[in-house]
Amino acid sequence: MKTIEAVSAIICHDNKFLCVQKGANKYDYIAYKYEFPGGKVEEGETNEGAVIREIKEELNLDIEVVSQLSTVYHDYPDFKLILHNFLCSCNSPEIELLEHIDFKWLNKSELQSLDWAASDVAIVGELVGLQL
C-alpha cells in the first residue's frame, strides 16, 4: 500500500481555526469532508517549508509556523498517511479558495460539529484540549 507524507496547517486567527471542505475526490471516504489545509511534502523540502508553500498555493494566504503539533499516522483503505501538523498564525482571515469548496473559521468548541476527514479527527481532539 502506498504511503503519503503530508503536512497540515492548523491556522489560528482571533482564537478561531480555519477549516476547509474538500470537493469531489476519487476516494469517496474523503470527498466533501472537512480538513485542515495542507498537502504533500516535495523532495528536498522541509515540513515547515511545505506547509507554508501549500497554504499559499491552496488559499493564497501567508502564514507563520508557531509550533509543531502531533504527527498522525492513519491507514485509509487505499493508502497510508503520515500527517505532520503545525499550529500556524496569519495576519488576516481573508482567503481565496483555490482547491476547496467551502471554509469556516470556528472556535474550539465548534470544531467537533463538522464532518472531518478521518485523519483530522485526532487533531480536532488535540485542539479542543489546547490552551491558547
Side-chain angles (χ1 to χ4, degrees):
M1 188 180 313
K2 177 171 69 170
T3 298
I4 296 173
E5 189 161 5
V7 293
S8 73
I10 293 77
I11 303 168
C12 188
H13 182 76
D14 289 339
N15 290 321
K16 292 192 177 207
F17 295 96
L18 178 62
C19 314
V20 293
Q21 187 179 25
K22 295 174 86 58
N25 192 286
K26 68 179 180 178
Y27 302 122
D28 289 343
Y29 48 84
I30 58 175
Y32 304 106
K33 300 284 187 177
Y34 277 87
E35 66 178 358
F36 295 107
K40 295 177 186 169
V41 179
E42 295 179 356
E43 191 171 327
E45 191 174 41
T46 67
N47 290 341
E48 293 86 351
V51 77
I52 290 167
R53 175 189 51 76
E54 283 286 345
I55 300 311
K56 186 66 172 177
E57 290 176 0
E58 291 183 7
L59 303 169
N60 196 25
L61 180 67
D62 293 315
I63 60 168
E64 183 175 321
V65 173
V66 175
S67 64
Q68 185 168 357
L69 299 174
S70 64
T71 295
V72 172
Y73 299 85
H74 186 80
D75 292 346
Y76 281 109
D78 299 283
F79 61 95
K80 294 179 181 205
L81 180 65
I82 301 170
L83 185 61
H84 306 284
N85 300 284
F86 293 88
L87 183 62
C88 301
S89 63
C90 62
N91 290 327
S92 168
E94 299 300 316
I95 67 167
E96 183 180 355
L97 290 178
L98 300 170
E99 294 187 18
H100 296 87
I101 61 171
D102 191 26
F103 75 96
K104 298 178 185 309
W105 285 99
L106 300 178
N107 62 43
K108 285 194 313 185
S109 65
E110 298 169 310
L111 290 175
Q112 293 176 315
S113 68
L114 298 179
D115 185 15
W116 289 95
S119 57
D120 285 66
V121 170
I123 297 301
V124 170
E126 186 177 346
L127 291 175
V128 169
L130 188 67
Q131 297 297 318
L132 296 178

